[in-house]
Amino acid sequence: MKRHGNLWKRMISFGNLWRSARNAQRGKRFRRPVAQFHFDLEGHLWKLHQQLAAKTYHPGPYRTSYIYEPKKRLISAAPYRDRVVHHALTGMLERIFEPTFVFDSYACRKRKGTHAAVDRCQYFARRYRYVLKADIRKFFPSIDHQILKDLVARKIKDPDVLWLVNLIIDHSNLQDTIVDWFPGDSLLTPSEQRRGLPIGNQTSQFFSNVYLDPLDHFVRDHLGVGGYVRYVDDFLVFSNDKRELHDVRQAIIEFLGDFRLRLHPHKCEIFPVTEGIRFLGYRVFPTHRLLAKDNVTRFRRRVRRMQHEYAAGRLTSEKISQRLMAWSGHAKQANTYRLRCQLFRTMGFQRATSV
């Protein structure tokens, strides 16, 4: 396997840091930390360049919060200067790793995404009778730091780049506690292993694809299944033979053990594709697709919150229009014309009247 070196000077060059800052700014330019950084962009970038060159750079503290839809998760936001560094690093590494990723990995990759993954799911649902639907239990909190570092080092030999990779991985904040034993572990192994990546980091999204790339190649190249789709830790395996999928599931369980991962015990099932596949907010059938019921329920809840915020004057009509159109664009990927007409016909926004 070819290993790449001589990357550091290009990665920390002023031009690359400037492009990374522009990428990190997208969609966030009016937020205070972003505006402050870009007010003196040249000065901040030169300082970052000097700190990286001298290896005095150190990531700042995360700002954390919990989200509860569709499930409770800890979200971590790095300081904006660190996000610029994350973009500089992943932009360099993506060019090396991307050609080796399988076609049917769809998360956090250019020209991929959720809608492309759902399209591919339906493509396979029309060609195979059965599907294995699975996800990995507490994936981001379970990522083993040393295993991840070793996977990156398989392709990268530049010691300076590996220093930054290790620094960012080691700086990960505490995630949910996972206590699991795997073959060869001692009683203390689970407490000795550094694990977990912060959800929300640009680097975490990229590292998740690096971490699961061996699984992708194992399923596609070694097991030789007919159809396979993965989006982060959710994946589907298709076959016309139900017994083959049971064997595939067992093989995947054993393979993931080498990476200190386990399948979710209640979200790993084999069934006919005609029952509809719950995947990325949709129910996908061979002939059509619908929005998942909980997706519609969450949308109704968000609309009620927007109505209260608009009535109180805390939300503008422009923001409401943007949010409604974003959801409508998502809903249009399914057979939802009547549903959308019903929802939009019944919702109304009105300012509270002052007495």
Side-chain angles (χ1 to χ4, degrees), residues 3-202:
R3 300 179 71 220
H4 298 258
N6 300 317
L7 306 172
W8 184 245
K9 287 185 178 180
R10 280 182 290 153
M11 201 206 82
I12 67 170
S13 68
F14 183 87
N16 189 50
L17 291 175
W18 184 87
R19 287 188 293 272
S20 301
R22 292 302 182 191
N23 289 333
Q25 183 192 34
R26 288 176 184 167
K28 306 177 182 68
R29 60 183 301 180
F30 296 114
R31 296 182 184 180
R32 183 183 294 273
V34 180
Q36 290 174 338
F37 190 94
H38 282 262
F39 182 76
D40 183 20
L41 180 61
E42 183 175 343
H44 285 117
L45 292 183
W46 274 118
K47 185 176 181 180
L48 262 184
H49 167 78
Q50 292 166 352
Q51 290 175 341
L52 289 166
K55 293 195 177 65
T56 58
Y57 166 79
H58 191 78
Y62 288 102
R63 181 168 48 83
T64 61
S65 61
Y66 282 96
I67 62 171
Y68 296 88
E69 293 182 356
K71 60 184 177 182
K72 182 180 178 181
R73 290 185 296 175
L74 176 67
I75 303 299
S76 305
Y80 183 71
R81 65 185 281 273
D82 294 339
R83 281 180 261 163
V84 173
V85 175
H86 295 171
H87 276 271
L89 176 64
T90 57
M92 182 67 68
L93 295 182
E94 279 173 357
R95 291 195 286 270
I96 295 169
F97 281 84
E98 179 65 27
T100 67
F101 290 157
V102 301
F103 178 83
D104 284 314
S105 164
Y106 285 87
C108 309
R109 296 175 66 191
K110 294 176 183 177
R111 296 177 293 277
K112 299 289 184 176
T114 56
H115 296 157
V118 173
D119 288 343
R120 191 65 163 167
C121 167
Q122 190 166 52
Y123 171 85
F124 286 129
R126 290 168 174 167
R127 285 157 177 77
Y128 296 95
R129 295 172 58 196
Y130 300 102
V131 62
L132 162 64
K133 181 181 183 298
D135 74 9
I136 296 170
R137 184 172 68 91
K138 292 190 177 294
F139 172 57
F140 279 97
S142 298
I143 292 176
D144 184 278
H145 287 190
Q146 190 56 53
I147 293 175
L148 175 58
K149 292 174 184 178
D150 291 342
L151 288 171
V152 175
R154 285 184 184 181
K155 289 189 173 68
I156 305 299
K157 64 181 179 181
D158 188 313
D160 297 319
V161 173
L162 291 176
W163 166 79
L164 182 59
V165 167
N166 295 344
L167 178 66
I168 291 172
I169 294 173
D170 290 337
H171 185 66
S172 300
N173 56 350
L174 290 176
Q175 304 293 307
D176 293 345
T177 302
I178 308 293
V179 180
D180 269 335
W181 284 269
F182 295 88
D185 284 357
S186 68
L187 185 63
L188 298 177
T189 299
S191 61
E192 295 170 344
Q193 300 288 125
R194 284 292 313 278
R195 290 185 291 186
L197 295 182
I199 299 175
N201 264 10
Q202 172 83 9

